Amino acid sequence: MRSWSGRLIEISARVEGSFAALRMTHLLSAFALAACSSPRNVAGNLSEPTAATPLKTAFADAFVIGAAVNDRQVTGKDVRGAALITAQFNTVSPENALKWEWVHPSRGTYHFGPSDAFVDFGVKHNMTIIGHTLIWHSQVPRWVFEDANGKPLGRDALLAVMRDHIMTVVGRYKGRIKGWDVVNEALNEDGTMRQTPWFKGIGDDYVVKAFEYAHEADPSAELYYNDYSLENAPKRNGAVRLIQALQRAGVKVAAIGSQSHDKMDWPTVVQYDSTFNAFAALGVRVNITELDVDVLPPAVRGQGADVATRGAVSRASNPWPAALPDSMQRALARRYADLFRVFVAHRDVIDRVTFWGVGDGDSWLNNWPVPGRTSYPLLFDRQDRPKVALDSVLATAPAVRR
Ligand code: XIL
């Protein structure tokens, strides 16, 4: 019913050329990574994962660790998924339930069934509950920006719509949702402000306004700015400028969320280091908010995670429909170990690491940027069994209490 392909305000299909060349580059980088990484932290035996310690326990001294969860999991229809979430994670984010098109589909109509189920699940299991997301240009209905005659709303009218939404949604979960991704993806890759309907309708202080309303709705909630590709210097610098502007305006930004929809060869550990240092210097915390690692050949150019991006379906873009080869499982395990080593190294500034999904079967990367692929980006497989990457992540924990 709510397919994400259907309702995007900015549909900018960007099918890029030469898939063969991209695939070759991708495979070469994966093999280069496999050759360079130290095998020290990688469990060697693919058939016997030793995931004895829950992730949340292993990283208890570093950060909370979580997953984006879906309706089937929180309502208990997916019994196995729900059990895995409660066993492994101590924080949850809603994959879709709190996005505007779900929670506020038409003027004056709020639809709180799925988001209530999400929050109830988190409360019941004593988890840190995250709100995702209030102000974004995707998964937001057109009516939000238009009057009854379809004409674009002026600044004041659009601010009133924004305020009503934030006060209603944040207010409903006051005291239960610990922190909110107030604004998602306000920046272009070059660090300038993205020309979203929010920006066009309100002006560049729309971010300040969103944070002010969220603070008004729940003064105790942590407020976050969330985006992707922040590890690339131009966008990272744009985020630094944006946060500084918010701070000058008197807004308290608790943390910057790095979505971290990562590739096998991007971002580098050095890019992460620089990013965490730059954000720490602002006096804010950092959350890794949507972690996954795409092992499939890149189907589009670039490193972004714009949900409106589309690649073409081809056999080459979906090379492992049955199973991921062992060599790639090991490469993924090494990649995850490298990522967690840098997260652990920066645990003084990182509060949370959240995966964007639980088992591979539920990942959005099966349908983005190409629909119908078989993707392997997470620590648990399609049967929710631990992958070897789980062991390699656990091996990086500061004090694994086995
Ligand atoms: C994705 C969800 O996982 C999909 O189910 C949905 O169809 C589209 O959105 N950046 C974000 C997330 O901030 O909200 C997106 O989630 C993934 C990219």
Side-chain angles (χ1 to χ4, degrees), residues 4 28 42 82 86 95 104 121 138-139 142 153 165 220 229 233 235 247 259 308 334 360 386 390:
W4 58 286
L28 287 174
V42 179
T86 55
E95 185 174 4
H104 194 179
F121 178 87
S138 289
Q139 295 184 273
R142 265 175 214 287
L153 292 181
H165 180 83
S220 310
S229 301
K235 195 161 182 180
Q247 291 173 330
Q259 290 186 6
R334 282 188 289 271
D360 285 338
L390 176 64

Side-chain angles (χ1 to χ4, degrees), residues 47-384:
S47 60
E48 288 180 351
T50 55
T53 310
L55 286 163
K56 62 183 177 186
T57 310
F59 290 95
D61 294 335
F63 28 69
V64 290
I65 191 141
V69 296
N70 62 36
D71 288 358
R72 293 177 47 258
Q73 292 158 340
V74 299
T75 55
K77 284 195 196 95
D78 176 359
V79 177
R80 193 179 67 197
L84 183 60
I85 292 161
T86 55
Q88 294 287 336
F89 301 107
N90 50 13
T91 171
V92 279
S93 302
E95 185 174 4
N96 286 297
L98 276 167
K99 291 174 182 174
W100 196 308
E101 69 172 9
W102 280 60
V103 79
H104 194 179
S106 53
R107 207 182 304 277
T109 307
Y110 286 89
H111 176 60
F112 286 121
S115 53
D116 283 356
F118 161 73
V119 172
D120 290 347
F121 178 87
V123 168
K124 181 172 170 199
H125 298 291
N126 203 20
M127 293 167 146
T128 299
I129 307 172
I130 302 302
H132 172 84
T133 176
L134 296 170
I135 300 300
W136 190 23
H137 56 275
S138 289
Q139 295 184 273
V140 55
R142 265 175 214 287
W143 67 261
V144 171
F145 306 99
E146 295 173 352
D147 67 15
N149 302 315
K151 294 266 168 332
L153 292 181
R155 172 181 163 92
D156 289 347
L158 188 52
L159 279 172
V161 174
M162 176 193 267
R163 183 169 181 282
D164 165 72
H165 180 83
I166 291 177
M167 294 300 287
T168 307
V169 177
V170 176
R172 184 176 184 90
Y173 301 114
K174 188 175 172 176
R176 287 183 286 166
I177 287 191
K178 180 179 183 190
W180 281 93
D181 291 338
V182 179
V183 175
N184 200 29
E185 303 178 356
L187 295 166
N188 292 314
E189 298 310 283
D190 66 359
T192 58
M193 292 294 287
R194 197 194 272 256
Q195 301 292 301
T196 70
W198 293 110
F199 182 94
K200 289 181 190 155
I202 295 172
D204 63 2
D205 66 341
Y206 87 88
V207 181
V208 171
K209 290 289 177 196
F211 274 78
E212 285 176 356
Y213 297 150
H215 181 70
E216 185 184 350
D218 183 356
S220 310
E222 293 185 350
L223 305 182
Y224 314 130
Y225 175 70
N226 196 52
D227 212 330
Y228 60 80
S229 301
L230 294 175
E231 294 72 27
N232 291 340
K235 195 161 182 180
R236 177 199 314 147
N237 295 337
V240 166
R241 288 192 298 271
L242 177 63
I243 301 310
Q244 286 170 333
L246 288 167
Q247 291 173 330
R248 277 196 303 273
V251 165
K252 187 164 182 307
V253 180
I256 302 176
S258 162
Q259 290 186 6
S260 294
H261 293 294
D262 291 350
K263 318 290 179 200
M264 291 294 277
D265 57 356
W266 176 91
T268 64
V269 164
V270 172
Q271 285 178 299
Y272 264 123
D273 259 325
S274 313
T275 306
F276 298 146
N277 291 337
F279 293 166
L282 292 167
V284 301
R285 314 287 300 165
V286 175
N287 296 321
I288 303 295
T289 55
E290 305 183 16
L291 180 62
D292 45 29
V293 176
D294 193 352
V295 297
L296 297 181
V300 291
R301 197 171 298 151
Q303 295 136 348
D306 191 329
V307 296
T309 302
R310 292 284 180 281
V313 185
S314 72
R315 187 179 294 201
S317 73
N318 189 29
W320 302 300
L324 190 65
D326 284 0
S327 59
M328 288 303 297
Q329 291 281 16
R330 291 173 197 278
L332 178 67
R334 282 188 289 271
R335 175 65 170 147
Y336 261 117
D338 288 344
L339 292 173
F340 269 78
R341 271 193 292 268
V342 73
F343 299 160
V344 168
H346 289 272
R347 61 187 183 273
D348 56 331
V349 71
I350 297 178
D351 283 342
R352 170 167 63 94
V353 176
T354 295
F355 291 86
W356 206 243
V358 182
D360 285 338
D362 289 320
S363 169
W364 75 302
L365 292 177
N366 294 300
N367 290 303
W368 183 90
V370 176
R373 294 200 295 179
T374 308
S375 196
Y376 303 87
L378 297 166
L379 301 187
F380 298 91
D381 70 11
R382 285 176 158 67
Q383 280 74 45
D384 289 339

